[in-house]
Amino acid sequence: GEPDPSWVRSSRAQLLELACADTLDVNERAIDSHIKNLRKKLKAADDRHEWIRSVYGVGFAFEPDGGSDTRAQ
């Protein structure tokens, strides 16, 4: 379902602009790779929560409080 409204949502283009504003030749898929690595590191730190979710048609959502407990689902 749709993430809680308190989630911080960003499109790939927004993340790309924030992360690589000075770089001309960066693909939006580079963001996917970075998100994958962040998810892996966050899971290693605390695997009870889904910190970053994909939001279809939007991009990604980050829950600073850890989101829902994914093991309970």
Side-chain angles (χ1 to χ4, degrees):
E2 185 67 20
D4 184 278
S6 66
W7 282 53
V8 177
R9 296 182 187 127
S10 297
S11 69
R12 283 186 182 93
Q14 289 170 319
L15 292 170
L16 190 60
E17 178 65 29
L18 289 170
C20 306
D22 297 335
T23 306
L24 297 176
D25 189 26
V26 178
N27 187 312
E28 283 190 12
R29 291 298 178 184
I31 296 299
D32 293 346
S33 179
H34 289 294
I35 293 293
K36 178 182 172 185
N37 290 331
L38 283 170
R39 283 177 171 153
K40 190 182 299 185
K41 289 178 182 183
L42 290 168
K43 184 174 182 166
D46 185 352
D47 69 348
R48 295 174 297 159
H49 302 291
E50 183 175 4
W51 298 88
I52 302 172
R53 290 190 189 183
S54 296
V55 181
Y56 183 78
V58 176
F60 300 97
F62 174 72
E63 172 56 52
D65 296 328
S68 62
D69 187 335
T70 58
R71 291 186 304 180
Q73 295 176 354

